[in-house]
Structure formats: C-alpha cells, structure tokens
Amino acid sequence: MPDLSPTELSSSQRPVKTLEDLFERIRAYYPQADLSIIQKAYEFSENAHEGQIRRSGEPYISHPLSVAAILADYRLDLDSIATGLLHDTVEDTHATLEDIKREFGPTIANLVDGVTKISQIKFKNSIEKQGENIRKMIVAMGKDVRVVLVKLADRLHNMRTLQFMQFEKQSRIAMETLEIYAPLAGRIGINSLKTELEDLCFRYYRPDMYYQLMQKIKKTEAETNRYIDDVKQTVAKSLEKTGIKFEIYGRSKHLWSIYRKMQARNIDYEQVFDVLAFRVIVNSVSECYEVLGHIHSLWKPIPGRFKDFIAMPKANNYQSLHTTLIGPGGDRIEIQIRTREMNLIAERGIAAHWRYKERGEITEETSQQANWLRDLVTWHQTVRNPEEFLDTVKTEMMESEIYVFTPNGDVKEFPEGSTPVDFAYSVHTDLGNKCVGARINGKIVPLKYVLQNGDTVEIITSKTQEPSKDWLKFVKTNKAKSKIRLFVKEEQRRRSLILGKDLVEKEFRKFGAAAVRYLKGEAFETYLKDEGLGSIDEMYIKIGYGKLEPKNLIERLLPKNSEKVEPKTDDVSFMEKVMKNATQKTRKSHSLVAVDGMSDVLIHFAKCCNPIPGDSIVGFISRGRGVSIHRSDCSKAFELDQMRKVDVGWNSGNTAAGQERIVRLKIVSHDVPGLLKSMSETFAVQGINIQSANIRTTKDKKAVCHFEISVKDSSQLNQAIFELQKIKGILGVSREMH
Ligand code: MN
C-alpha cells in the first residue's frame, strides 16, 4: 500500500512502550509542557492496574499508555492525556472517583467519570435497548466534549488490538464501532480516526470481503503505484513554473469506502473507477484555486463532481476543494486541494482546536462539532421515545447536507429535507417561534417548503405566530424539534394552569367562599402534601388537565357544615355539575370539538359568531365556563386575551342527531309571490329544518328574510346557500354573524 496519510499522524502507527515515549510525543508539539501531571497519572494508573494482564499478554498499563499516546497524536491538552492514562482505573480497579478527584482535581475526575459511564453501557442488539444506551452515552459525553475524544481513542486502541479477543466479541465490538463510534468520529470531523476505525471494523465485520479486497488491491499494487507516481509527476511539472510551494500525496481510498461503493452500485472491484485519491496541500486559499485551474487544464473534469467546501465548509468545519477528473488512461481520479490548516482540521476535527493550548477550553465559534453534541443533549432531554432518539442520532450522523444562504450571504448547513422553520430555529429560538413563512430567493413560500441547495432564505415573522405541534411533522433538525416540543409543552401547562385556577375559584364560589382565604395555611399545605403536589400551581395544572377534582379540595378545606349556595346534587361528579350549570349548548369536548392537549374540557359555542362544524374555529379559556369556541374570523375573538387561546378542532364524523347547530341566514330578494315557498322547499330538499322565519318588505320592492335553521355542518349549509342562490328573484344569501 502506498503512503496513506500525509500528516504527522502517521507517527501514531509507532507503538509507545514507555512513559518516556509518551513524554517525547507530547514534547514534540508542546515543548514547554509541565509533564508532572502525566507522570503522576501514569504512576497512579500503573499502581492501580498492578497485576492485571491484557489478552495480548502485555501488562494492562500498555493499554492506557497507548490511549494517552493516541490523544497526544491528536495534540490534545494535558487533562485529556492524563484522562487517557486513568480512564479504566475507576471501572476496573479498586480506585474510586473520589481518589481521582483528590489526586487530580475535579476536571480530570469529571472526564474519567464520563468515560467510565460510557464504558459501562452495554450495547444490546435489541433496538429498544440500543436507543436507551445511546441516550446514556450522549448524556455522559455532553458534559465535556473531551470525554468523546478519550472514548474514541480508547475504542481505537481496542480495535487495533481486537485480534486478541474471542470471535463473538470481535464481531459485536466491530458492529458497535461501525454503527456508533465511526460515524461519531466523522461527525465531529476526525476523519483519520473515522477511516481507521472503519477499516478495522470491516476486517472483523466481513472478514471474507475484507481479505478478498485486500488481495485484489495487492495484486495491482505495483501498477497502482506507477499510476500514482505518474499523476504526481504530471501535477508537479505543471505547477513548477507557478512557484507555488506544494505537497502532493496519492493513495487508494480506504477499503471500507471501496466496499461501500461496490455494495451501493452492486459492482466488482474492477468496476470501481474512482479508487485513487490525491491530495494537494498548499499554503493559501488563493493557491488552492490556482492549483485547481492548473489541474483542470491537465485532465478533463467530470461535470457535477466539483465541490467547493472552502466557500461552503461542512458542519464539522471540513474545508477543501474536491474534483473528479478523467485521469491518464481514462481512469477516474479524485483530487482534493486544501491548505495546511484545512488539512489539520480535516484530520483532527474537533481535536484541532486544542492545539498548543494546555488547559484549553474550546471556544463557541471554533467548534460547531461541540454545538452539535450539545444540541443532541438538549434533544435527548425533550424526546420521550428511545427509538425515536436513536433514529435521529443515526440520521443526523449519516444524512447528506444542503447549503443555503442567509440574506447577508452567510452559508448555513442543514440536513436534506429541512424547511424554513429549521432555518429560523438555527438562527434564534424567537425567530423560529414567530416564523410564518419565508422568502426564498425573493419568492414567498410556506413553512413546509423544502430548502434547496443554494437557496437564499429570509424568514418572515408575525408577532401573533406560535409554534404548533403540526410543525413536528415536517421539521428535520433536532434543534427545531426540541424547541417546538418545549414550547407546546409549556403552552399546555400555562393554559391548564389558567383553566384550573378558574375551576377552583368557581367551585369555592358555589359555597359562597373565596378561594384565596382557603388556599394557604396549614390545612392547605397538608392537602398539597397528601396529594403529592409540590406547589399551588402544580395543583391548578392537575385540575386544569382534569387529573384532579376540586371536590376533594373543598371537602378538605371548607368547614364541615358548609352549605352549597345552590341545590345539592351529591350523586353527580364535579364535571357533571359544572356541565349542568353551563348553558344547554355546552358539550363535552369529545363530542363535537377537540381541545388540544386537554381531556374532558367543557366547551361552549360563542353566541357572537355561532360556529358550526366545518367552520375554522379557535378556542378561548373563559372564566368558569371552560373553553368558548369562536369562528376564527370572528371579530370578538380578536379582542379576547390571546394568552387564553387554545388550539381546537372539530371531531370529524361525530355530528350525531341532536347535535345540529342553529345558524341565521339573511336572504334578500325581489318581492315576488311564491318565493318563500321555493325557499322552504329548498331547505326541505337539503334536509334542513327551519326554526323560525321573519320577513319584511322594503320600499324599493325588495323582501328581506331572516331564517333560523338547524344544520349539521358548514358543507350542508353551503350547499343550501348554493341552491338558494339559483332561485330566480333571489338577490343575495348570507350567513349572519350576530
Ligand atoms: Mn480502555
């Protein structure tokens, strides 16, 4: 195989045998480092692992030492390297976390704790268990991103020494690594670690295919090397006259990626064309583009295969130019062009940010990868279903990405299928919450619009907008999902609180008592305690949700001889009592109208606009009367307190007999005989009963009729209006709001 990596990371292949080897590796990038903490960690670890032997036959300390060396290869800070040395002590030895904390301080203790927690997760084959496990892993990682790096280094060394494990363990660990750790390494930008993990996994996951592919590559190795040299020389010759200082490396792509290509296209190795990849490393961005120009004049680029990740970096900060060309002999070759700095970030990802810093914290702006992990933790806190979470983690790590622009020309990256809502939440929570639409390249689009590569996105907001549960059906990013869930949850809580408070006050009023007098003091505190309620608000919320009845509260707090102001009806439950008090039109919500997030909530239809099934409606929590239902275009509804607004909807297929609604129609016609008869016939044909009619004539020979009719729903009403308008002599038919 030709040289695989153009970076200093190739040193990672050299084993570290002693503490002095490790020191040397650290001093190589951090000459002035005070290594006493490393020395101390090594001694602590060696002591703790005393007598333990690895399956390879080496003393156990060889493993933590190698893990520390991998971390040093990534030029991490001393805390991380010390953690590498200590990472197995709490789990596998008599040492405790308190010991670590006392000896090494809280930061290292936290790091060791995080790694230990991840190690203790037993990954099971059952999907359900795995979801739960990943949740735990993400939570353990979330506290300090360096936990991930130490864990990845640990896993890398275990994979490198997997040949000493039993067969069944090998394939289980390989699968787990392939499914979880390798994508994770890729997502936080450590490509060199990702590709090494993938190839190691491949070897144990599909040994047959792995060795077959190895052999095929070996067979053509000499030829491949000649080809690589040929390309390198041609490029070098072309760049010679430019004076640009550059390095060029060529290699076969890693085995796993070749195998994946074969799988995806169902082809043999011989049919995989773009097996060779070249990398040109230069000193400046302008040189990258200059080199690209030269290379494109050497070989014909394949249209659509040029990618400019310099102008539009990936979410994990990866930057490079990629182009695929028809190389010598008609073979496809891929060439990547990047600066030294970009190469460092591509190889080390998140780890690159600790460079030359001793106890460096990574900063917000330099580590989008860390943000991604943090988002994942937030997401984890709001999602209930472990499978859903696992799905998201997997898709977030694998999904292909699109790039869109802000109005200022900044680039943002999103998973494919993202919408303006995802975009809005990525900018700011408030922008997401108030988002009503977007202007894409100047054209107005709805919230569900699917963002396309290169779109310029400008969010349109409205002060009265609120996130809705329905948004969860189309948003893609975790950030948007968790923010919407949080809003909906808080909103339901807030509304239940208002409703619960009203219900309690009303119940007290029935006994001529004021609630405020009783909702304090010892008796009330005891009540809260007995019901397991933490606060008065919690009580209101439970009552608002219908989970708790105020009846019990009254019994406990009012004096025994309290008389109801109204006739007593002991045999009916509280909700039924309130029902009776309400107007005849009051219905339980589940009969005609569904009230969002609340069960068994009382509703009544507002007289002002008198909505019927099929009308677009809104609900408002009213004092003591449950939720009043208005038509959404009702002017009265606009005047109500918008804080009390709730989402409501008609229960379809539930318009049973006896649930017909009365509406008023105004019909203006010429005053000609027989018209009233035609109108009543039309109603009869439509199956509509007339409740009352009132007719008057005007001076200009017109008749104005007011009908009260009972209808099932708006479609029946609209059909009737349509038929009425066909009658000769009728000038206009309208539904009256008041
Ligand atoms: Mn370990």
Side-chain angles (χ1 to χ4, degrees), residues 54 60 63-64 67 87-88 92 115 119 151 154-155 158:
R54 285 208 108 207
Y60 197 88
H63 167 64
V67 172
H87 80 273
D88 278 331
D92 294 343
V115 181
S119 308
K151 185 63 208 172
D154 176 38
R155 180 48 61 111
N158 285 335

